[in-house]
Amino acid sequence: MTLTDQHAAADGERVVQENGVKKHRTTLPAPMFPRNNFSIWSILKKCIGLELSKITMPIVFNEPLSFLQRITEFMEHTYMINKACTHTDPLLRMQCVAAFAVSAVASQWERTGKPFNPLLGETFELMREESGFRFISEQVSHHPPVSAFHAEGLNKDFIFHGSIYPKLKFWGKSVEAEPRGTMTLELLKHKEAYTWTNPTCCVHNVIIGKLWIEQYGTIEIVNHSTGDKCVLNFKPCGLFGKELHRVEGYIQDKNKKKLCMIYGKWTECLWCVDPATYESFKKDKKGVENKKPKPTEEEIKSENDEADDMPEIQETVQVIPGSKLLWRITSRPSNSAQMYNFTHFAVSLNELDKDMKGILAPTDCRLRPDIRGMENGDMDLAGNEKERLEEKQRASRRERAKNNEEWQTRWFAQGTNPHTRASDWIYTGGYFDRNFTDCPDIY
């Protein structure tokens, strides 16, 4: 590293690599604030079975990212989209899209901190030349909370967009997050559009014990051009944790003929294999398992009594001979546990260097003082700023109501998804022209 680079690094700036691609920061300015001395029960005990979006949580249970930044993490494995664009076989393209859909939720693993609720009109942009995309999101509604996003390939080869309506519910020992909303991926060269919804995420032991996360539910990825479909079952933990993190499914053509089987863990990797090999392997494995002694009634009762205990991680994915690897998770920073279990990608999202300050929209969440305060380890400042921003938002809403004014979104408009015919928020364009003169003052 040159002396100039050392000065740049000391100033918190990103260092420019020889190939012209900027390096991103690898650590947060301050370690995670400990949550040990805070009881969440006093807040949540009145909320069992209720929707949590209107409940104010202590800032110590947050992570220093906005929900808009959290959904940007869908883009961490954009190389899977780039790979799909290069394939001439629609089956290979669907395999890549399936791997991308699973990889998009992989960053949830061990992420037990709650992202900050975006303020109405808040935005987040991300440009990654090395990955070949640019991304813009906007908080288009506050009640109910709706986040809209639009990403596009810099080579004009894909568009990825959607709107998310997160529903949080508290069930006594766990908090369940249902990410309602459709993801749409368009591969422009192939004139193909794929749609799917993400699985449900559940955080266990929010009252006492070690927090742990599982994702469950069936997602269907539909190719609206060919009629092919990929069905992926994110399995719930199950008895003794045997199914923890497991994903199983298949790709079928428009005549419902299975073309390949997919299996793995959303926390590790995803593989595919032909259906005959898969069924033969499963049959042999089932024969072995049938010879094992069944659990006693006492063991089952004990398991049910401790239903939310963190299951022991079972053996890693058993690879079926003849399988092809579709995706493997990227390793996390060595000090990830002290950084809210962030991935390398997540660590870089709230980075703000001198060059960026002059071109960002004034609504970009990198400029939020409460998130910045928490990232820097100043919890008092973060808490006070969060309260100030929320009161400013309430005052703005009261003023609009008094004047009988409707909120106007800036970069997205409510419309119809052309592929699903369902209501959606569609990007209206123009953000990267950087004309921000009429952006609202939300901070």
Side-chain angles (χ1 to χ4, degrees), residues 171-352:
W171 295 113
K173 288 192 279 185
S174 62
V175 170
E176 189 178 72
E178 182 188 352
R180 298 180 184 179
T182 300
M183 312 289 109
T184 301
L185 174 63
E186 300 176 25
L187 302 184
L188 303 178
K189 185 178 82 171
H190 300 287
K191 297 186 170 71
E192 285 182 338
Y194 302 79
T195 60
W196 68 91
T197 56
N198 285 329
T200 294
C201 180
C202 187
V203 181
H204 292 270
N205 293 339
V206 293
I207 306 303
I208 192 168
K210 179 178 170 59
L211 290 167
W212 60 280
I213 284 178
E214 65 173 330
Q215 300 198 78
Y216 44 76
T218 299
I219 72 173
E220 289 190 354
I221 305 170
V222 178
N223 182 331
H224 293 268
S225 305
T226 64
D228 293 352
K229 182 189 290 185
C230 177
V231 179
L232 294 174
N233 181 16
F234 286 69
K235 299 201 165 192
C237 171
L239 196 62
F240 303 112
K242 284 186 178 179
E243 304 294 338
L244 186 64
H245 305 327
R246 293 196 181 277
V247 180
E248 286 185 0
Y250 55 87
I251 296 173
Q252 66 180 31
D253 64 17
K254 62 182 179 182
N255 299 315
K256 298 189 177 179
K257 178 188 175 184
K258 288 184 180 176
L259 304 176
C260 78
M261 307 301 291
I262 293 178
Y263 65 95
K265 288 187 176 182
W266 61 266
T267 54
E268 288 185 33
C269 55
L270 206 64
W271 298 79
C272 69
V273 70
D274 72 87
T277 305
Y278 182 86
E279 293 304 328
S280 173
F281 179 84
K282 282 289 184 185
K283 190 176 179 182
D284 293 344
K285 191 177 180 185
K286 194 172 183 181
V288 172
E289 286 180 347
N290 284 340
K291 294 177 183 177
K292 293 180 181 177
K294 287 186 166 57
T296 64
E297 284 186 24
E298 288 77 14
E299 286 175 316
I300 293 172
K301 183 177 184 298
S302 170
E303 174 69 15
N304 289 336
D305 288 344
E306 303 292 341
D308 269 7
D309 275 3
M310 172 67 185
E312 286 187 26
I313 301 295
Q314 302 294 314
E315 82 279 358
T316 190
V317 176
Q318 189 173 0
V319 180
I320 301 169
S323 296
K324 179 179 75 172
L325 180 67
L326 296 178
W327 163 79
R328 190 181 296 282
I329 198 167
T330 307
S331 61
R332 294 192 175 181
S334 58
N335 58 340
S336 179
Q338 287 78 53
M339 298 191 299
Y340 308 87
N341 289 311
F342 280 5
T343 62
H344 287 284
F345 190 81
V347 166
S348 71
L349 289 177
N350 205 45
E351 185 175 24
L352 181 62

Side-chain angles (χ1 to χ4, degrees), residues 28-33 35 58-65 113-114 116 340 350 368-383 386:
L28 295 180
M32 175 179 167
F33 196 81
R35 298 171 181 154
I59 202 166
V60 71
F61 294 107
N62 282 42
E63 61 176 25
L65 289 177
K114 177 183 176 294
F116 282 69
Y340 308 87
N350 205 45
R368 272 186 70 158
D370 51 353
I371 297 177
R372 185 64 56 192
M374 185 179 191
E375 181 185 275
N376 290 332
D378 192 336
M379 301 300 282
D380 289 338
L381 172 68
K386 180 172 178 283

